[in-house]
Amino acid sequence: MSDNQAAGRKFSRRARSAGVAASVGAALIAVGIGAIPAAGADTSAASRSATALTAAAAAPGLGSAALMRSDDFFQQGLTPVGATVNLAGKQALSACSGEETMRSLTKGKAAAYADVTWAFDTNGTSLTESVADGSTDTSAASYEKQLNKMVRPCQDEPRGHWYYGKGHAITVKAGNGSWYPAFNGDGKVAGGVAVIRSGHRFGIVELSGQPSDDPGYMEGITAGAVNRLGD
């Protein structure tokens, strides 16, 4: 893998983090499905955003009910302060995959899509999740395999660049997943990525930031995401 590719991926991570910060500054604090305006916020804008989130939750197909919620983060040392949900499948999947989206991965053939970007009270920490409905267990398993194949090349990076660590399999009642811790150029824990599947639904979750020095928090995040994905 070239230094230019690695640098491009690092830029992708920085760009998404900046986008999360901008959305948080836009006046909405959304916890779970509900939404309340931040202090001094434009309440009309907050009201519109709350309406959009409620509509996303009630939408047919996946909706935001299949995505991680605020209650899923506290045990992992994360305090959520904002969320942006959409059902277009156009969220960048991971820093490793660059600008690849769920819609482009599936060539627009999935039955439904749902994305969320979460911001937390810890500076520089954010989480993105993108899921889709493959209609059949077979197609979902195929996409799950593609997602794992997509992130594994970032386990092998030049010295001084961030990288994903060893993959870990997890199985819970609702389905299964594979999670990979992420490390920065100094070898310190810096989030992680997980590929998840429940029946005919599948997705990817990436955390940027460090809730604690123990990369095992990604196991808890992966379990929570798989359980939410279960229909």
Side-chain angles (χ1 to χ4, degrees):
M1 182 174 295
S2 68
D3 288 350
N4 287 339
Q5 287 176 311
R9 286 170 179 157
K10 290 177 72 177
F11 175 78
S12 177
R13 184 187 289 275
R14 289 197 300 269
R16 288 212 314 280
S17 295
V20 171
S23 67
V24 173
L28 173 68
I29 292 181
V31 181
I33 301 303
I36 58 173
D42 179 348
T43 55
S44 61
S47 178
R48 289 193 298 273
S49 297
T51 300
L53 283 169
T54 302
L62 288 170
S64 63
L67 299 168
M68 296 193 76
R69 304 181 193 178
S70 58
D71 292 347
D72 300 321
F73 299 118
F74 296 112
Q75 290 187 348
Q76 313 310 323
L78 294 164
T79 301
V81 295
T84 302
V85 177
N86 74 74
L87 307 178
K90 295 182 178 181
Q91 166 69 49
L93 295 179
S94 73
C96 189
S97 64
E99 298 305 310
E100 183 79 73
T101 67
M102 193 65 77
R103 183 168 288 277
S104 61
L105 176 72
T106 62
K107 296 179 173 58
K109 295 180 180 180
Y113 301 92
D115 302 325
V116 65
T117 299
W118 279 97
F120 305 95
D121 67 349
T122 306
N123 187 37
T125 302
S126 64
L127 180 140
T128 58
E129 180 182 12
S130 182
V131 302
D133 188 333
S135 297
T136 67
D137 291 5
T138 301
S139 64
S142 175
Y143 288 124
E144 177 189 21
K145 184 177 180 179
Q146 291 181 55
L147 288 169
N148 275 299
K149 185 176 180 180
M150 185 181 295
V151 302
R152 283 172 182 158
C154 283
Q155 292 176 310
D156 183 19
E157 293 284 351
R159 183 180 296 274
H161 290 282
W162 71 269
Y163 63 96
Y164 294 141
K166 178 182 177 181
H168 303 267
I170 181 175
T171 300
V172 296
K173 184 176 181 179
N176 57 270
S178 299
W179 63 272
Y180 308 76
F183 301 90
N184 62 25
D186 296 327
K188 295 181 179 179
V189 179
V193 66
V195 175
I196 58 176
R197 184 169 74 87
S198 176
H200 50 86
R201 297 176 172 183
F202 61 96
I204 186 169
V205 182
E206 181 160 41
L207 176 69
S208 297
Q210 181 186 11
S212 73
D213 293 329
D214 179 8
Y217 54 71
M218 276 306 300
E219 181 175 7
I221 288 175
T222 306
V226 174
N227 284 327
R228 291 294 185 191
L229 191 60
D231 54 0

